[in-house]
Amino acid sequence: MITVRFLTSGREARVAESTSLLRLSIREQGGIPFKCGGGVCGTCRCKVEAGRDHLEAVTPKERRHLTEAELADGWRIACQALVIGDVSVSWPEAGSKR
Ligand code: FES
């Protein structure tokens, strides 16, 4: 089982199979904001607070939205980031500056 903690909303989900962070958030009502679901808009950016090694490698689509400094700081694009183990994520609240 994989445990995903959505720190900003306070929700937690336990899932059996790996899938994208955004798909898990939608299915489990985690609350990560999103628009396109396809790596285009950048709305679903989130910060991996724990378990960075439990996501698949950063994709080219993610690199279009995140700087090297942001990537090094743990930021990912949730709809592109495949979860393979326990992670904890946070994201900017609606209306906050990024
Ligand atoms: S929802 Fe648009 S990039 Fe993820």
Side-chain angles (χ1 to χ4, degrees), residues 44-84:
C44 65
R45 60 166 37 216
C46 59
K47 186 173 183 180
V48 182
E49 306 282 2
R52 287 185 199 178
D53 293 343
H54 295 163
L55 292 165
E56 287 283 1
V58 174
T59 68
K61 280 186 176 178
E62 292 183 86
R63 291 187 186 282
R64 282 190 216 139
H65 297 287
L66 300 169
T67 65
E68 285 300 323
E70 287 171 328
L71 289 167
D73 206 25
W75 288 90
R76 298 294 297 261
I77 296 298
C79 65
Q80 303 300 303
L82 191 66
V83 179
I84 55 176

Side-chain angles (χ1 to χ4, degrees), residues 22 33-45 65 77-80:
L22 181 61
F34 69 98
K35 284 183 184 164
C36 72
V40 176
C41 69
T43 304
C44 65
R45 60 166 37 216
H65 297 287
I77 296 298
C79 65
Q80 303 300 303

